[in-house]
Amino acid sequence: MHLSRYPRLHFAHLPTPLEPMMRLTDHLGGPRLWIKRDDCTGLSSGGNKTRKLEFLMADALSKKADTVITQGATQSNHARQTAAIAAKLGLQCHILLEDRTGYTDEAYGHNGNVLLDQLHGATLATLPGGTDMAAAMEDLAQKLKQDGRTPYIIPGGGSNPVGALGYVNAALELLVQANDRALVIDHLVHATGSSGTQAGLVAGLVGSRANIPVLGIGVRADRAKQEAMVFDLACRTADYLGLPDIIRREDVVANSDYVGEGYGVPSDSTREAVSMLAQLEGILLDPVYSGKGMAGLIDLIRKGHFDKDSDVVFLHTGGSVALFGYPGRLGVPATIAAGG
Ligand SMILES: *Cc1c(COP(=O)(O)O)cnc(C)c1O
């Protein structure tokens, strides 16, 4: 596996830190918990899409694109990071936002990631939940071509074999960090959505024969569908790396027990995880992805799923900007005591 053979731009702040979570470990009574800070990738407040965009944007530029098109939910972190790097590269950016929650409040529709998309100069359009977003992007690309532009379509979440290379690279980076401090990683846990993060991690870890199990905590699809998506993309990513047939079906494990009412709707366990990390570690999670991923990790620890004498790494995929799109849904009191 030699990633320098693939076109890549370098704008992420790498390597991201790997830090112990002492107070959370104490609070839960073990296992030893670590956090890989991919919320600190640097681009417009960071997140996991930045690593994917290093490879996707290099591909776009090699195809002489002057415009990028992508899609996501209203509070998409992927949309925000795409808008930011398009701005830096001087490309036009068109974003189609799917209303997956039906939330009508001002903060959800205009603050958080949406505010930043607009600050970065992206052109936004909203579409109803359930729209065929891939088809909508194709239609928009046709229109832009008629206007003389050269559009490049980035799939939702940047999840295709090109984007997943960002997480193959993250897997290699994590192995180096663990090796440097003689840390044996027993489990790697993170939130999984459009599947590129887990697919890239699995391809990178299996390709390195690291024997580290990855557990994706689902945020939308049921387990069967999520695992099928991740497995398919992991296989295609391995093919793209020139390592066909290395991924076994059992290398891909997801758990969708923490989705709650649906995508983008935080549950009580999400709120508990967000406040626990904020208050024990000073770390900001998010209400859509990392909050649910951490809720899954906390619950599985409480159920005894992990050996107490083991080391578990949580990959923090970012998303805290979305907190500002969910102010009334985080369980934080709306009023502050008047003092004096
Ligand atoms: C997109 C996203 C994920 C999920 O990553 P996928 O590659 O889409 O599975 C997790 N956390 C955050 C904060 C995200 O924005």
Side-chain angles (χ1 to χ4, degrees):
M1 215 175 331
H2 195 25
L3 288 178
S4 0
R5 297 208 173 95
Y6 299 83
R8 176 180 172 191
L9 304 177
H10 292 264
F11 47 78
H13 296 184
L14 303 180
T16 57
L18 174 64
E19 300 171 337
M21 294 194 284
M22 307 284 204
R23 294 194 74 216
L24 187 65
T25 299
D26 284 350
H27 182 79
L28 296 169
R32 290 178 296 277
L33 297 171
W34 300 79
I35 190 160
K36 172 72 171 153
R37 300 292 304 272
D38 274 16
D39 56 322
C40 301
T41 52
L43 184 66
S44 184
S45 88
N48 62 338
K49 305 311 178 307
T50 299
R51 289 186 188 268
K52 301 178 182 185
L53 287 164
E54 288 197 330
F55 290 92
L56 289 161
M57 285 304 200
D59 191 43
L61 293 188
S62 77
K63 292 177 174 144
K64 307 270 181 275
D66 55 19
T67 304
V68 290
I69 301 171
T70 198
Q71 61 98 359
T74 306
Q75 283 292 336
S76 167
N77 303 299
H78 164 68
R80 181 240 317 153
Q81 290 161 80
T82 304
I85 192 58
K88 183 172 168 68
L89 298 173
L91 305 181
Q92 276 190 10
C93 181
H94 290 259
I95 294 171
L96 302 181
L97 296 175
E98 181 188 3
D99 176 16
R100 291 188 203 159
T101 63
Y103 292 161
T104 54
D105 55 292
E106 171 73 16
Y108 186 77
H110 298 282
N111 205 335
N113 282 296
V114 182
L115 175 73
L116 300 192
D117 295 342
Q118 291 179 303
L119 273 179
H120 289 304
T123 303
L124 304 181
T126 58
L127 293 164
T131 300
D132 181 341
M133 298 300 284
M137 290 197 294
E138 287 293 345
D139 290 348
L140 177 57
Q142 285 314 320
K143 279 187 205 120
L144 290 166
K145 278 183 198 161
Q146 281 159 20
D147 295 343
R149 314 240 15 132
T150 308
Y152 179 88
I153 295 178
I154 299 175
S159 286
N160 60 18
V162 174
L165 290 186
Y167 272 87
V168 173
N169 186 47
L172 302 180
E173 181 182 300
L174 179 62
L175 286 177
V176 170
Q177 286 174 316
N179 292 343
D180 282 351
R181 62 185 80 180
L183 167 67
V184 177
I185 300 173
D186 296 299
H187 295 272
L188 177 58
V189 179
H190 68 92
T192 179
S194 69
S195 83
T197 301
Q198 190 170 2
L201 289 172
V202 167
L205 292 172
V206 171
S208 314
R209 299 180 188 259
N211 200 19
I212 298 175
V214 180
L215 173 61
I217 306 292
V219 299
R220 191 177 189 194
D222 64 30
R223 174 179 177 158
K225 185 176 175 197
Q226 189 66 28
E227 287 186 351
M229 273 167 49
V230 173
F231 179 60
D232 173 66
L233 184 54
C235 292
R236 288 190 289 130
T237 304
D239 285 352
Y240 188 52
L241 283 165
L243 298 169
D245 304 322
I246 62 164
I247 314 289
R248 295 164 310 167
R249 178 62 185 78
E250 58 268 32
D251 293 326
V252 174
V253 181
N255 177 333
S256 293
D257 294 349
Y258 307 92
V259 175
E261 280 176 55
Y263 175 88
V265 181
S267 349
D268 286 344
S269 67
T270 322
R271 282 184 274 275
E272 182 197 23
V274 169
S275 57
M276 226 191 241
L277 269 282
Q279 293 175 23
L280 293 176
E281 296 291 340
I283 286 177
L284 296 174
L285 298 176
D286 81 273
V288 181
Y289 294 96
S290 54
K292 287 187 179 174
M294 182 56 76
L297 174 58
I298 291 168
D299 187 57
L300 290 169
I301 289 172
R302 286 173 173 158
K303 287 180 171 151
H305 179 84
F306 301 101
D307 188 337
K308 293 286 180 196
D309 187 29
S310 65
D311 289 274
V312 178
V313 176
F314 181 77
L315 172 70
H316 189 340
T317 43
S320 63
V321 165
L323 291 170
F324 303 102
Y326 283 76
R329 296 185 166 87
L330 301 170
V332 174
T335 55
I336 300 169

